[in-house]
Amino acid sequence: MFRNLISKSSLIAKGTTISKQLLFKRPYRIISSVKSSIKDDPKNSSNPSDEKISDFKDIEGIEKLMLNKEKPVASYIIQSQKKLRSIYKPSYWIDDLIYKKKPPIRPNKPPINRKLNLRTMSDSYVEEFLPFKSDPDLLEEYVNPDGGIRMGKIFENLDLLAAIIAYKHCGNGKEDVSDMTIVTASVDRLDLIKPLSICDIRLNGHISYAGYSSMEVLIKMEALQDGVFQKLKTNPETKVQGETLMIARFIMVARDPYTNRSIQINPLQLENDYQKKLFQIAEEQKVKKNASAAAALTILPPTEEEKLLIHNCYLEYSKYDKKEKPDHIIRMDETVMESVTFMQPQNRNIYGFVFGGYLMKLAFELAVANASVFMRSRPKFTALDEISFRKPVPIGSILCMSSQIVYAPGSPHKSFQVSVTADVLDIERGKRDTTNVFHFTFICDNPAMEVRRVVPKTYDELMKYVEGRRRREVGLKLRGLYNEASKGN
């Protein structure tokens, strides 16, 4: 689920800076492939360096394992039409309404017979530059009221980049990749490791796992040193040393455009021990994800420890049920905030549904608003937990988003969980159909400020509280923050 817009972002290939005007000249197609020049990176050697990576399961381990190019020659150039609507040929919304150009689903049609090619991780490597510090016009499109960067717009770039990487892996070496449909199935995890400031940014990523029809895309966001981007415009051979700000993992799936069934993708060749570790991590996360789903609160009851937690929450709520509660306590039902948005065709992807990155942006900005009211101050975003795109959101539909602070243990802890549920409103039947559920983690970075404690009342709220607690603990493990937990993080 992605769209055709990277507003004024720069892709560098063969020494050329691709401007916004050039990006919008033609329909989407790969116009040039450049072999990734990453041979100087020890992670691309069959003999890894002697550096010991203690835990491959934490974020720092993943960051060390990812491919890195010191010479940022982009893997390929992407050009897109200003109103890109279909990967098959240019399309406009008004034409879609009149001529109904969307190909019909034909379940009985024989599957497409594709020739598979063995691909490496470096074959799918792609990078994108967002020079916020070097380009005031670009910064103006991303800046928030506090003078920082709108993280929601970064989510849009990440979703698009993940799709580009997935298409590059699945390509058959030709320009035409319209024999399959690739969509975002989920965002397994996104962690902001260091604060995002106004600087020149490089987004880079590649495939880290490939199954039958699904693939994991790893994306890293880095802050470039001052002056590096300016040097790149004149000398693309300039070595880049970036500071890692964010790590994101997207799960993409390929489908037959005519039958909507799974379609086999190119297998992945692992060239060294680093890549084998990345592949292994992805496999382990897939197993854990399935185990977590099997143990979900909608299937199994809470654990004995969680039952005790639920009872304590009940006792605490009962204490303040009929008398005024202290200022550091807030009831969960008092933390609800909602938004309603009409889905416009300008925010559709190439398949005619709402672009997944746009949904992520809407959910994030609602979560930030709710977290700000809850904290009575601006929150600091730290992580986005698993998002599953259950159903596509149609253009013309009414999207209702509801956010709630589902877990906040209170002082001395500084972090809390915000859940956002996205429902499509069926105006004819008067019903709501849930399409996405988002989970965000925020933190208060003001040591003098006390974060209020959320107290649930109903069984539904108690389940949300327990689920939020589970997600927080998983996040702490992934971020390697258990040692910081006792300090209030």
Side-chain angles (χ1 to χ4, degrees):
M1 301 170 68
F2 64 96
R3 68 174 178 178
N4 58 307
L5 178 61
I6 310 179
S7 299
K8 291 197 67 179
S9 61
S10 298
L11 294 171
I12 298 182
K14 294 185 176 180
T16 303
T17 300
I18 308 301
S19 66
K20 181 177 180 180
Q21 290 74 22
L22 183 57
L23 279 169
F24 288 157
K25 279 187 178 180
R26 300 186 181 184
Y28 172 95
R29 63 192 183 100
I30 301 174
I31 64 169
S32 176
S33 294
V34 182
K35 186 66 176 179
S36 300
S37 55
I38 54 179
K39 58 185 179 181
D40 296 331
D41 190 343
K43 292 187 279 296
N44 305 307
S45 169
S46 58
N47 298 316
S49 65
D50 294 333
E51 180 183 5
K52 183 179 180 181
I53 301 177
S54 58
D55 185 0
F56 290 108
K57 298 178 179 61
D58 62 21
I59 293 173
E60 291 185 359
I62 293 176
E63 189 272 334
K64 291 177 181 178
L65 289 168
M66 286 186 68
L67 299 181
N68 180 50
K69 286 198 305 180
E70 293 183 352
K71 298 179 180 180
V73 180
S75 301
Y76 62 13
I77 307 170
I78 292 295
Q79 289 189 342
S80 57
Q81 186 186 10
K82 187 174 183 180
K83 292 186 177 294
L84 172 65
R85 301 300 171 240
S86 169
I87 201 168
Y88 310 100
K89 55 184 177 180
S91 174
Y92 294 91
W93 181 250
I94 194 66
D95 294 333
D96 293 343
L97 288 177
I98 296 173
Y99 300 109
K100 305 293 183 184
K101 290 187 176 181
K102 186 177 178 180
I105 299 298
R106 291 176 284 179
N108 297 326
K109 181 180 174 63
I112 295 174
N113 186 18
R114 300 184 74 250
K115 180 181 178 181
L116 300 179
N117 301 289
L118 198 60
R119 307 300 295 269
T120 65
M121 290 187 184
S122 59
D123 287 334
S124 63
Y125 182 92
V126 180
E127 58 188 13
E128 174 194 345
F129 292 86
L130 297 169
F132 295 127
K133 192 167 186 178
S134 301
D135 189 340
D137 292 331
L138 175 65
L139 176 61
E140 181 66 20
E141 296 180 15
Y142 283 76
V143 70
N144 65 27
D146 298 326
I149 303 299
R150 290 179 62 186
M151 187 63 66
K153 289 184 68 67
I154 296 292
F155 290 164
E156 293 182 301
N157 290 92
L158 293 174
D159 192 32
L160 174 58
L161 185 61
I164 291 172
I165 292 170
Y167 267 112
K168 189 163 190 285
H169 172 79
C170 296
N172 55 12
K174 301 178 181 178
E175 293 188 359
D176 186 12
V177 288
S178 62
D179 59 348
M180 67 167 54
T181 296
I182 297 179
V183 297
T184 307
S186 66
V187 182
D188 270 10
R189 185 78 186 177
L190 188 153
D191 286 274
L192 188 65
I193 300 171
K194 296 184 179 179
L196 175 59
S197 59
I198 296 178
C199 59
D200 293 337
I201 296 293
R202 177 173 72 165
L203 301 175
N204 61 92
H206 56 82
I207 295 292
S208 59
Y209 172 86
Y212 178 82
S213 62
S214 65
M215 61 206 104
E216 180 185 88
V217 178
L218 269 179
I219 298 178
K220 177 168 59 175
M221 182 170 73
E222 298 174 305
L224 301 181
Q225 295 177 347
D226 290 347
V228 170
F229 184 77
Q230 296 296 336
K231 294 179 181 178
L232 285 172
K233 292 197 296 185
T234 56
N235 181 17
E237 298 297 312
T238 302
K239 291 186 177 181
V240 173
Q241 293 181 345
E243 181 182 27
T244 301
L245 303 178
M246 179 190 293
I247 297 289
R249 302 201 329 263
F250 285 74
I251 304 299
M252 316 297 290
V253 295
R255 296 189 177 278
D256 188 304
Y258 298 103
T259 65
N260 202 33
R261 295 174 181 171
S262 299
I263 187 171
Q264 189 172 3
I265 61 174
N266 290 330
L268 188 62
Q269 179 181 3
L270 306 178
E271 298 179 296
N272 54 54
D273 289 344
Y274 288 96
Q275 296 183 12
K276 290 176 182 178
K277 284 293 183 182
L278 276 180
F279 194 90
Q280 178 186 346
I281 291 171
E283 283 188 319
E284 292 176 354
Q285 291 299 327
K286 186 176 181 179
V287 171
K288 289 182 179 180
K289 184 177 178 180
N290 292 335
S292 177
L297 292 170
T298 55
I299 300 175
L300 297 179
T303 65
E304 292 301 318
E305 179 188 359
E306 290 169 343
K307 289 178 182 178
L308 180 60
L309 174 67
I310 290 172
H311 183 67
N312 290 336
C313 286
Y314 165 74
L315 294 178
E316 184 172 14
Y317 187 92
S318 301
K319 187 191 308 182
Y320 306 117
D321 192 20
K322 295 182 179 180
K323 64 179 182 179
E324 186 176 352
K325 62 184 184 301
D327 189 57
H328 69 279
I329 296 292
I330 185 171
R331 298 183 178 94
M332 187 181 291
D333 59 4
E334 296 178 307
T335 67
V336 177
M337 183 177 291
E338 296 183 332
S339 69
V340 179
T341 310
F342 196 85
M343 296 293 99
Q344 302 290 354
Q346 290 75 22
N347 296 310
R348 73 189 185 278
N349 60 22
I350 64 174
Y351 310 116
F353 294 101
V354 177
F355 166 50
Y358 178 69
L359 297 176
M360 292 170 64
K361 182 183 77 171
L362 291 179
F364 175 76
E365 295 186 347
L366 176 60
V368 169
N370 199 354
S372 299
V373 173
F374 171 70
M375 274 184 49
R376 301 165 180 162
S377 180
R378 298 290 191 194
K380 176 185 175 183
F381 168 73
T382 60
L384 184 155
D385 207 348
E386 178 191 349
I387 304 171
S388 293
F389 292 91
R390 304 177 185 177
K391 298 179 181 179
V393 177
I395 298 299
S397 62
I398 298 174
L399 187 72
C400 304
M401 286 190 166
S402 177
S403 70
Q404 193 170 29
I405 314 297
V406 294
Y407 182 74
S411 181
H413 302 284
K414 293 289 188 178
S415 64
F416 56 96
Q417 298 277 327
V418 182
S419 174
V420 179
T421 301
D423 294 338
V424 171
L425 179 61
D426 189 326
I427 58 177
E428 294 181 355
R429 297 185 302 164
K431 296 182 179 180
R432 296 166 71 123
D433 191 13
T434 299
T435 61
N436 307 88
V437 179
F438 304 83
H439 304 277
F440 301 94
T441 302
F442 294 93
I443 192 170
C444 172
D445 58 357
N446 184 350
M449 183 176 293
E450 184 177 283
V451 177
R452 290 185 286 178
R453 172 171 167 76
V454 166
V455 179
K457 176 184 180 181
T458 67
Y459 191 77
D460 179 62
E461 290 178 353
L462 286 164
M463 292 302 98
K464 291 178 180 178
Y465 190 85
V466 171
E467 179 67 23
R469 181 174 178 267
R470 288 182 178 183
R471 292 182 181 278
R472 178 179 182 270
E473 291 177 349
V474 170
L476 288 175
K477 288 179 181 179
L478 289 173
R479 294 173 63 85
L481 292 179
Y482 262 138
N483 292 333
E484 297 293 327
S486 59
K487 300 178 184 179
N489 285 328

